[in-house]
DNA sequence: ACCTGAACACCGTTCAAGT
DNA sequence: ACCTGAACACCGTTCAAGT
């Protein structure tokens, strides 16, 4: 009878996709620092060296994880509505992938992805901005500003967190003693606000800031941003 | 004759500061991936285990590197001028530290720093925004948007580069074959622009966007950002 | 075609011990 | 007070070899 080829061990032979999906599961569960060739191989019931048959090295494996996660982004949310609504839709779609993969998402943010899966959201964003009436160059600059803002925001929220921000409650409110505080009156004044970070609200605040700025840009039509 | 105490090896005993400075030099020269306890010890002419007398573990060492680099930021550039000029001054001061330490700066961007050295630029930024007339909450939100944008921008420029952007010349212009391109007409149209990224200009473009948005916010005085 | 064993050159960290 | 040797439990990767 016709049957899928099996290995001596009695399981279907591995594919690149199966390897990468196992890696996504591993990182989603235990974080990026837990991803090692040896641990991943153990999860798959093979030896570490066998992975090199399916993947050239660890870097390529990580790129595969990042691409698999990013591929889940729901681009369709940028399809309808005013250009402002479409921009918000894209921004939220990006953050929702992050929420679905909080442990893996830092890999999306720190890898330079060149494949089609990375081009898809770029295509969507450029469509929105061009439809809004921005010229090619402005659309690209605006896109890069959005990407930078989103990258920084989601890094703060999900991973390798950026400096100068998201000071945890223990960070400012509790940990600093009074003497040190007196050196930073503004920080002391804002301490209760700095101590908590409502990530979704901060994200949406920033997105609205950028949208307001683009509305201004559009108003001034041909005139460039003042230096 | 009075003399500084020396070790059997004939050098002055190490301090935490000397260890961290050596680490900064190491990372500035060979990048963060080259920083290992064993390599750093070798640079210092001691054994790896001796480092643990001065520093509790590698994470603390890296935090020390990040803080040392960030401490170089020239806050004084936010002291004079209109609030817009002061915001630009701070943004440039931050990027200039990055330019001075291109290999080390990703560590500043990916570590959560809680010490006074991290509070100094926050204090400066809050001063500018409060002087500009923003209330406490708005100042904190605006600061977080700026930090997110700067983090993402400088990650793209100097390190672990974010997805969806900075597609290198080889990334879009050259590497994609024609067939794949036709799936992404906007990307094809903008390919020459996507292929190059003038980091300083992109950074300043984004800073101006955020400033324009804040000017709008100030104009609408008491009215909140529309959702 | 797919997988493995042995080996190489690394890691961070602990701990008891040296001076 | 400051440093070390030996050891433990890991890494990624190569390469010749197995089925």
């Amino acid at each position: 009878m016709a049957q899928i080829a099996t290995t001596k061990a009695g399981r279907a032979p591995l594919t690149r996709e199966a390897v990468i999906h196992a890696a996504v599961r591993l990182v989603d569960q235990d974080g990026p620092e837990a991803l090692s060739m040896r641990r991943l191989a153990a999860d798959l019931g093979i030896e570490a060296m066998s992975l090199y048959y399916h993947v050239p090295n660890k870097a390529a494996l990580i790129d595969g994880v990042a691409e698999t996660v990013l591929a889940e982004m729901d681009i369709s949310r940028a399809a309808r509505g005013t250009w402002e609504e479409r921009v918000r839709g894209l921004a939220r779609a990006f953050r929702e992938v992050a929420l679905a993969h909080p442990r893996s998402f830092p890999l999306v943010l720190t890898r330079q992805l060149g494949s089609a899966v990375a081009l898809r959201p770029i295509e969507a964003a450029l469509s929105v901005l061009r439809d809004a009436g921005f010229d090619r160059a402005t659309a690209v600059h605006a896109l890069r500003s959005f990407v930078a803002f989103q990258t920084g925001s989601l890094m703060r929220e999900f991973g390798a967190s950026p400096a100068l921000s998201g000071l945890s409650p223990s960070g400012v409110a509790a940990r600093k003693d009074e003497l040190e505080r007196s050196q930073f009156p503004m920080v002391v004044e804002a301490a209760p606000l700095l101590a908590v970070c409502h990530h979704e609200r901060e994200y949406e605040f920033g997105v609205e800031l950028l949208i307001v700025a683009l509305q201004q840009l559009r108003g001034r039509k041909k005139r460039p941003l003042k230096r």
Side-chain angles (χ1 to χ4, degrees), chain A:
Chain A
M1 51 193 281
Q3 200 181 327
I4 289 175
T6 57
T7 262
K8 205 175 45 174
R11 68 178 143 53
L14 278 183
T15 61
R16 195 190 103 98
E17 284 63 43
V19 166
I20 288 173
H21 270 100
V24 172
R25 274 196 304 277
L26 199 173
V27 178
D28 274 344
Q29 279 173 33
D30 296 340
E33 66 287 352
L35 176 60
S36 77
M37 302 301 269
R38 290 165 142 103
R39 162 76 193 280
L40 176 60
D43 284 7
L44 286 165
I46 60 172
E47 300 299 318
M49 318 83 206
S50 310
L51 291 171
Y52 288 89
Y53 186 81
H54 300 99
V55 127
N57 51 45
K58 193 184 180 183
L61 174 66
I62 297 177
D63 284 344
V65 170
E67 283 176 0
T68 301
V69 168
L70 183 58
E72 288 180 22
M73 185 171 165
D74 179 14
I75 292 302
S76 73
R77 305 188 50 170
R80 273 168 295 280
T82 66
W83 70 265
E84 290 95 333
E85 287 164 350
R86 294 171 69 194
V87 166
R88 285 182 201 113
L90 267 184
R92 283 177 197 153
F94 193 54
R95 186 163 176 275
E96 269 159 27
V97 187
L99 289 165
H101 297 273
R103 314 287 302 266
S104 303
F105 209 73
L107 299 180
V108 176
L109 298 174
T110 52
R111 295 261 133 190
Q112 181 113 294
L113 304 179
S115 70
V117 69
L119 258 29
R120 224 172 103 257
I122 293 179
E123 175 73 17
L126 290 176
S127 291
V128 173
L129 293 165
R130 295 286 279 134
D131 289 351
F134 295 103
D135 61 38
R136 276 206 286 269
T138 307
V140 168
H141 295 317
L143 170 57
R144 285 189 171 135
S145 287
F146 267 97
V147 170
F149 167 76
Q150 290 169 330
T151 300
S153 294
L154 297 175
M155 288 263 295
R156 171 168 62 211
E157 183 167 0
F158 293 108
S161 37
L164 306 186
S165 88
L167 300 165
S168 61
S170 60
V172 169
R175 231 182 45 219
K176 294 279 140 194
D177 52 34
E178 299 296 326
L179 275 170
E180 210 170 55
R181 280 188 179 187
S182 62
Q183 209 193 329
F184 302 119
M186 295 295 163
V187 172
V188 173
E189 183 190 76
L193 294 161
L194 291 169
V196 291
C197 189
H198 188 305
H199 293 290
E200 181 172 347
R201 272 186 219 145
E202 298 291 349
Y203 190 75
E204 305 229 321
F205 181 91
V207 170
E208 293 307 317
L209 273 191
L210 290 169
I211 287 176
V212 165
L214 290 185
Q215 286 170 334
Q216 282 297 107
L217 258 197
R218 237 170 62 108
R220 310 180 189 174
K221 278 270 162 57
K222 302 288 170 191
R223 266 176 295 141
L225 257 187
K226 105 165 236 295
R227 256 289 314 245

